Amino acid sequence: MSIRSRLRKLFRRPARPLVTVLRLSGVIGAGVGPMRGGLCMESTAESIERAFAPDELKAVALVINSPGGSPVQSALIGNRIRALSVEKKVPVVAFVEDVAASGGYWLACAADEIIADAGSVVGSIGVISAGFGFQDLIAKLGVERRVYTAGRNKAMLDPFRPEREEDVERLKSLQLEIHQNFIDWVKSRRGDKLRADDDTLFTGEFWTGKRGLDLGLVDALGDVRTVMRARYGEKVRLALVETRKPWLARRFGLSGSSLGAEVASAVVSAAGERSLWGRYGL
């Protein structure tokens, strides 16, 4: 090593502490298309990897703003975050913005700590399924519904046929299984931090961040910049890791018919997403 190199090494300024910031915003679901935002394993896998990639990383901060969605995609994303945290030996801190409810709270539980704003919405540890029944409408319109299946329950809960009690019971049994998975995940991640019984926490109810602190659903109140600077110093570097954003048909690369179908699908999807956000007054 030359004298110049030795001097540079000797007088080199110490590196600023680095914290990567990964934003997880939107409804969680597998159907993320070119005109729709949202979260799924496909859209977040690369950004999660990049969040854990830097050397000498102090922590990964998850900034969460999600009303929930698919339990499967929530689990896939949460498991990937946990696996990399253990592999890289890097702590993860979740920061709740407006809402981390249902699947959004599932994502928050992937972190070692959960920090929320006092007015954030947290919780909603439950499972919901909603739809409409159109059998009376099509009868008034004089429309005959024709369904042909191989398998007695293949057309279960068809919205254009009268609801059957056995179908509802089957759906409820599935919901109970998924709900129990959710409960097990929260208990495994939060452990003794939870300060309320199951009848309070796991009913699907949601609370403000301030009340969530009392219940043990969150660990502290604050925001990512304030907390990270207090923890790692004023010179901490917060590096935002961008998630993949929706693209508009690859700069209109879809055919007219494909683009029209995507627009129609996006409109229907947006209505469903609007109802999810609306549950929390957002």
Side-chain angles (χ1 to χ4, degrees):
M1 182 182 295
S2 67
I3 295 177
R4 179 176 294 180
S5 298
R6 290 178 181 176
L7 289 173
R8 284 178 178 173
K9 185 177 180 180
L10 180 63
F11 292 103
R12 185 174 58 189
R13 293 180 180 178
R16 295 167 58 191
L18 174 63
V19 173
T20 53
V21 179
L22 176 61
R23 286 190 169 273
L24 298 175
S25 300
V27 173
I28 305 166
V32 177
M35 299 184 68
R36 304 191 298 276
L39 299 169
C40 67
M41 190 68 256
E42 180 186 0
S43 67
T44 59
E46 181 182 351
S47 56
I48 293 172
E49 295 282 346
R50 286 191 284 114
F52 285 91
D55 296 328
E56 300 181 1
L57 186 63
K58 294 295 185 183
V60 172
L62 307 177
V63 179
I64 298 174
N65 195 13
S66 173
S70 164
V72 173
Q73 295 300 316
S74 301
L76 289 172
I77 296 170
N79 289 341
R80 179 65 62 88
I81 291 170
R82 287 308 319 143
L84 286 172
S85 176
V86 172
E87 177 187 337
K88 304 289 187 178
K89 296 181 174 61
V90 173
V92 179
V93 184
F95 292 88
V96 183
E97 289 193 328
D98 290 290
V99 57
S102 195
Y105 187 71
W106 188 305
L107 298 184
C109 285
D112 301 294
E113 299 175 69
I114 302 176
I115 299 174
D117 183 87
S120 298
V121 174
V122 296
S124 191
I125 303 170
V127 181
I128 186 172
S129 178
F132 298 93
F134 298 104
Q135 69 274 8
D136 293 336
L137 175 63
I138 63 173
K140 289 180 179 180
L141 295 175
V143 177
E144 180 184 359
R145 175 70 165 163
R146 297 175 179 175
V147 180
Y148 309 98
T149 68
R152 185 168 61 88
N153 294 317
K154 188 63 178 178
M156 186 181 80
L157 296 175
D158 186 324
F160 295 99
R161 302 174 70 180
E163 189 175 67
R164 300 189 305 176
E165 184 177 348
E166 61 188 276
D167 292 347
V168 176
E169 290 301 315
R170 174 59 177 158
L171 175 62
K172 288 183 177 179
S173 70
L174 293 173
Q175 290 179 320
L176 287 173
E177 290 183 37
I178 297 171
H179 189 203
Q180 190 59 53
N181 290 339
F182 197 170
I183 293 171
D184 292 343
W185 168 253
V186 173
K187 286 185 174 180
S188 70
R189 296 299 306 146
R190 299 298 297 169
D192 296 336
K193 295 178 179 180
L194 299 175
R195 293 191 288 273
D197 57 31
D198 293 6
D199 291 338
T200 299
L201 293 180
F202 303 131
T203 62
E205 188 175 351
F206 49 89
W207 301 270
T208 64
K210 184 177 181 180
R211 178 59 178 151
L213 178 62
D214 297 333
L215 296 172
L217 293 172
V218 303
D219 298 291
L221 302 179
D223 63 88
V224 61
R225 180 178 174 82
T226 303
V227 171
M228 292 294 99
R229 292 183 74 175
R231 187 166 299 183
Y232 298 110
E234 295 291 321
K235 295 184 178 181
V236 65
R237 183 159 60 97
L238 302 177
L240 180 63
V241 178
E242 295 285 353
T243 54
R244 194 174 71 185
K245 296 180 179 179
W247 43 274
L248 182 56
R250 291 288 187 187
R251 295 185 179 182
F252 308 101
L254 291 176
S255 65
S257 59
S258 297
L259 183 57
E262 186 61 44
V263 170
S265 177
V267 170
V268 174
S269 177
E273 292 178 7
R274 182 66 263 165
S275 67
L276 276 175
W277 288 107
R279 291 189 66 218
Y280 307 104
L282 301 169

